[in-house]
Amino acid sequence: NAEYMGYPGMKRVGRWEIPPLGIGTMMWGFTWLDHKLNRGTVTDTELDELYAEARRHGISFFDSAEGYGGGSSEERIRDVVSRRARCATTATTTTTTTTEGQGDELLLATKFLPTLWRFTTGSFLRAVRGSASRLGVARIPLYFVHSPVHPFPLEFWVEAACAAKALGLIEEIGVSNFDAKQVRRAHAAAAKHGQRIVANQILLNLLDYNSCQLRETERVCAELDVVIIAYSPVGQGLLVDGLTPEKFAACRMTSMTGVSWDELQPLRAALSRLSVQHHRTMAQVALNWVICHGHVPLVGCKRVEHVRDAAGALGWKLAPAEVAELDKLALGRSTLEKPMWRRFLFLLLLCFLILCYYVERFACDTLGFGLEARDRRRRPTTPTPTPPPPTTTTPTTPTRATL
């Protein structure tokens, strides 16, 4: 078994000390494609409430990518941080004290996607500057290479990231979806330039933990002091309360992992029992299990309720025996064990999606097509309620008591 970390406090990622929980913003995009893929758009009002709730719980790690909404997810991070900063400045005249806006630094992360039309260090640097502009920062705190899959070796992109850091464009370098061997190669490439890889963002949850490839990746990351950022920590809904056969069949993680309903039940039963014992939700138990292994779960949030539920995983820990029990029940459906040709096909799909985003953003931002519809998705207007008809009353003669 992997070492039980029992990590209830802060976690170091590069130079940052953060609570071991991050907010994923993949569903914050506002394009028409995002509206269809994510079954709706998060409004600005909802985003303000979501961000404020996260900051109230001390959560300071927000993760994005240039491919999320064609960069619109990055823009929304910039906008919500700016709006809340203005609110915090205005609120300084009051005596109310909150954790929001007290000057502590945000760990904003985003990712470079090595698409098939990128083959130069210049293309990497342009991508960095574009993300920095959309995030509203002069230097990106944490910048990931989103995938190791590309006709060029991964060392090329790691060296490009080192060049970006030397230019002061990024502060820390991370990788994403790298297996054990690829993490070693990335670490060695960065070391040649006097740099290091501080994080590896991978799919990690109770559906894939007993994968040999994932366990080896975890071991290598621990050896090289590379923090694991665990995305999809609750299996995109397969490890939460209220799962029905219908929801199970519609979940993307079901087709991604090939897990069956019956195969999932022993694990869900254990999560349910532990959630009752600890007075928590199943999602909070699954997230705390990730934290107890020393990793940082990254939770995709569209509503303020998602943030509240995720924050309930902080400030407590499962017992070592409970973690060991879940370890034994965990499945082994890791995407790191997919053959390289399957991962390359997925990259092709992502490249096509990015091109679609480019076309939509050009049509909207440059030509003005669909601009009003996009703004309505972000800032829907509340219809003005119709005032009730005036009521007529029959005047009455005042009585002696009212005179």
Side-chain angles (χ1 to χ4, degrees):
N1 289 335
E3 181 183 1
Y4 171 76
M5 301 296 292
Y7 209 110
M10 304 294 281
K11 183 71 175 177
R12 177 167 288 280
V13 181
R15 70 173 183 84
W16 287 271
E17 287 273 350
I18 63 169
L21 181 68
I23 301 297
T25 66
M26 185 171 69
M27 295 182 289
W28 289 16
F30 53 67
T31 68
W32 178 85
L33 277 173
D34 294 303
H35 187 71
K36 294 300 180 182
L37 292 173
N38 299 328
R39 304 185 182 109
T41 301
V42 185
T43 67
D44 285 355
T45 300
E46 292 170 331
L47 207 59
D48 287 342
E49 294 172 351
L50 187 158
Y51 177 79
E53 186 70 17
R55 301 299 292 121
R56 275 193 288 272
H57 289 284
I59 299 170
S60 56
F61 174 29
F62 294 85
D63 176 82
S64 186
E66 62 169 345
Y68 297 169
S72 61
S73 168
E74 296 171 322
E75 293 174 6
R76 300 203 80 183
I77 292 177
R78 174 197 65 201
D79 294 344
V80 72
V81 170
S82 176
R83 287 194 299 269
R84 298 309 301 181
R86 289 196 299 270
C87 290
T89 301
T90 304
T92 54
T93 58
T94 70
T95 59
T96 303
T97 302
T98 67
T99 58
E100 183 183 357
Q102 290 183 344
D104 49 334
E105 291 183 284
L106 295 174
L107 174 52
L108 302 183
T110 191
K111 307 178 194 71
F112 166 83
L113 184 64
T115 54
L116 297 181
W117 52 84
R118 288 173 165 168
F119 287 93
T120 65
T121 301
S123 64
F124 186 95
L125 297 178
R126 284 191 295 273
V128 175
R129 291 188 175 100
S131 286
S133 175
R134 289 187 293 271
L135 284 171
V137 297
R139 183 167 56 174
I140 299 174
L142 177 57
Y143 198 65
F144 291 95
V145 178
H146 206 155
S147 171
V149 182
H150 191 271
F152 278 13
L154 64 88
E155 287 84 356
F156 179 83
W157 299 117
V158 172
E159 291 173 359
C162 292
K165 184 172 182 179
L167 290 171
L169 300 177
I170 61 178
E171 293 192 53
E172 300 287 0
I173 303 169
V175 295
S176 182
N177 301 302
F178 279 43
D179 63 23
K181 292 180 180 178
Q182 291 161 344
V183 169
R184 285 197 184 279
R185 289 170 57 188
H187 180 269
K192 290 180 180 179
H193 296 269
Q195 304 295 340
R196 58 184 293 258
I197 305 297
V198 302
N200 183 22
Q201 188 174 140
I202 56 175
L203 178 69
L204 188 150
N205 54 46
L206 283 162
L207 300 175
D208 68 351
Y209 189 64
N210 275 328
S211 154
C212 294
Q213 184 63 261
L214 179 59
R215 289 293 190 99
E216 178 64 12
T217 301
E218 182 185 47
R219 189 188 67 78
V220 169
C221 286
E223 173 192 332
L224 301 177
D225 195 24
V226 176
V227 175
I228 289 181
I229 310 295
Y231 68 82
S232 296
V234 295
Q236 297 182 7
L238 296 186
L239 302 175
V240 304
D241 295 289
L243 182 68
T244 64
E246 293 74 23
K247 291 179 180 178
F248 172 81
C251 182
R252 294 170 185 168
M253 187 65 71
T254 302
S255 57
M256 185 185 301
T257 61
V259 64
S260 69
W261 174 263
D262 291 338
E263 189 180 11
L264 194 60
Q265 296 318 301
L267 175 58
R268 285 186 53 81
L271 284 172
S272 179
R273 173 172 48 78
L274 291 172
S275 70
V276 172
Q277 291 176 3
H278 289 275
H279 305 287
R280 304 284 174 171
T281 65
M282 287 176 60
Q284 289 166 356
V285 173
L287 291 173
N288 195 266
W289 171 85
V290 175
I291 293 170
C292 285
H293 278 284
H295 312 318
V296 179
L298 188 65
V299 185
C301 296
K302 285 184 67 176
R303 298 195 299 272
V304 68
E305 294 82 5
H306 297 161
V307 178
R308 292 195 189 109
D309 192 28
L314 296 172
W316 65 284
K317 62 180 180 179
L318 293 163
E322 293 170 333
V323 174
E325 177 190 2
L326 291 175
D327 288 352
K328 292 179 181 178
L329 291 170
L331 307 180
R333 307 283 183 157
S334 176
T335 54
L336 294 176
E337 296 188 345
K338 299 287 186 184
M340 187 56 69
W341 67 267
R342 289 278 299 272
R343 299 177 76 180
F344 189 78
L345 283 179
F346 185 68
L347 177 65
L348 288 178
L349 176 63
L350 287 179
C351 288
F352 175 75
L353 186 62
I354 294 298
L355 287 174
C356 292
Y357 278 126
Y358 285 167
V359 171
E360 182 181 348
R361 294 298 298 269
F362 176 78
C364 198
D365 296 341
T366 305
L367 304 180
F369 294 143
L371 192 59
E372 292 183 4
R374 186 179 73 182
D375 289 342
R376 283 197 301 270
R377 289 193 294 270
R378 293 184 58 180
R379 294 177 283 271
T381 56
T382 303
T384 304
T386 304
T391 57
T392 58
T393 57
T394 304
T396 58
T397 303
T399 64
R400 185 178 300 274
T402 61
L403 291 175

